[in-house]
């Protein structure tokens, strides 16, 4: 007969801590998402609805589900890096992750908020911000790969989506002139 060893208190605390961290990463990502949604919602049916868009612009209903999947993958990726042993590489990876998430949070109010307040100039400002975001996400992928290849792989769809969003932002800026 095989006897199961009871889990040690340290292992239980570690599991609880890890679960709390994962929930925290999801919470932070979804706060950014909720903020973006609240800022963009009035513009979607406002100035954005009347703005010329490129033919590859997806339907508005696609953005919510895609971002939900991407924010979930980003959260798991950050958690995987967080779970790795403490190191300078882990600290750098999580720092760049936080920085790109902050830039991500700034893009939506720049595009939808400034777009509604100052028009085309706001769309161009948002374009500069999203180009910076493109490079920051790439930097996060590179830093995550130093710590966890699966974590880096989870960020790749996010990077592709941000690059796609960059083409949309640029096209809308050009078409709105």
């Amino acid at each position: 007969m095989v006897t199961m060893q009871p889990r040690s208190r340290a292992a239980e605390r570690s599991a609880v801590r890890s679960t709390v961290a994962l929930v925290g990463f999801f919470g932070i990502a979804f706060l950014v998402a909720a903020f973006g949604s609240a800022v963009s919602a009035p513009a979607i049916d406002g100035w954005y609805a009347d703005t010329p868009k490129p033919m590859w612009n997806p339907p508005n209903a696609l953005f919510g589900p895609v971002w939900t999947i991407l924010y979930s993958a980003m959260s798991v990726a950050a958690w995987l890096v967080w779970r790795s042993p403490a190191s300078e590489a882990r600290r750098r990876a999580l720092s760049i992750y936080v920085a790109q998430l902050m830039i991500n949070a700034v893009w939506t109010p720049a595009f939808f908020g400034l777009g509604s307040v100052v028009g085309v100039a706001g769309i161009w400002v948002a374009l500069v911000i999203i180009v910076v975001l493109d490079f920051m996400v790439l930097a996060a992928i590179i830093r995550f790969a130093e710590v966890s290849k699966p974590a880096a792989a989870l960020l790749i769809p996010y990077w592709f989506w941000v690059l796609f969003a960059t083409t949309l932002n640029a096209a809308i800026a050009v078409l709105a002139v």
Side-chain angles (χ1 to χ4, degrees):
M1 174 175 4
V2 175
T3 314
M4 302 272 302
Q5 294 271 354
R7 259 180 129 171
S8 73
R9 286 190 188 262
E12 287 176 7
R13 280 193 301 268
S14 178
V16 167
R17 185 172 178 248
S18 183
T19 301
V20 168
L22 179 59
V23 169
F25 282 115
F26 271 98
I28 291 166
F30 285 102
L31 279 174
V32 171
F35 174 69
S37 181
V39 169
S40 63
I44 298 292
D45 293 328
W47 72 268
Y48 182 76
D50 299 326
T51 300
K53 292 169 212 55
M55 64 184 174
W56 65 90
N57 192 71
N60 291 340
L62 184 66
F63 288 95
V66 168
W67 275 113
T68 300
I69 292 166
L70 294 174
Y71 279 126
S72 296
M74 291 165 56
S75 299
V76 171
W79 176 72
L80 288 172
V81 170
W82 175 84
R83 287 187 55 196
S84 68
S87 66
E88 183 60 24
R90 183 182 87 165
R91 187 197 63 74
R92 282 193 310 260
L94 290 174
S95 294
I96 199 82
Y97 174 79
V98 168
Q100 70 77 30
L101 196 57
M102 290 169 57
I103 293 168
N104 176 314
V106 168
W107 179 82
T108 303
F111 184 83
F112 289 102
L114 286 176
S116 66
V117 174
V118 298
V120 178
I123 299 169
W124 285 100
V125 168
L127 180 60
V128 171
I129 293 168
I130 201 168
V131 168
V132 171
L133 180 60
D134 293 333
F135 287 102
M136 292 296 288
V137 174
L138 177 58
I141 292 168
I142 292 167
R143 292 294 186 193
F144 274 31
E146 295 172 357
V147 178
S148 167
K149 300 274 191 269
L154 283 169
L155 291 183
I156 292 172
Y158 168 50
W159 185 47
F160 286 157
W161 184 259
V162 172
L163 290 169
F164 175 68
T166 303
T167 70
L168 291 174
N169 190 151
I172 291 169
V174 169
L175 291 170
V177 173

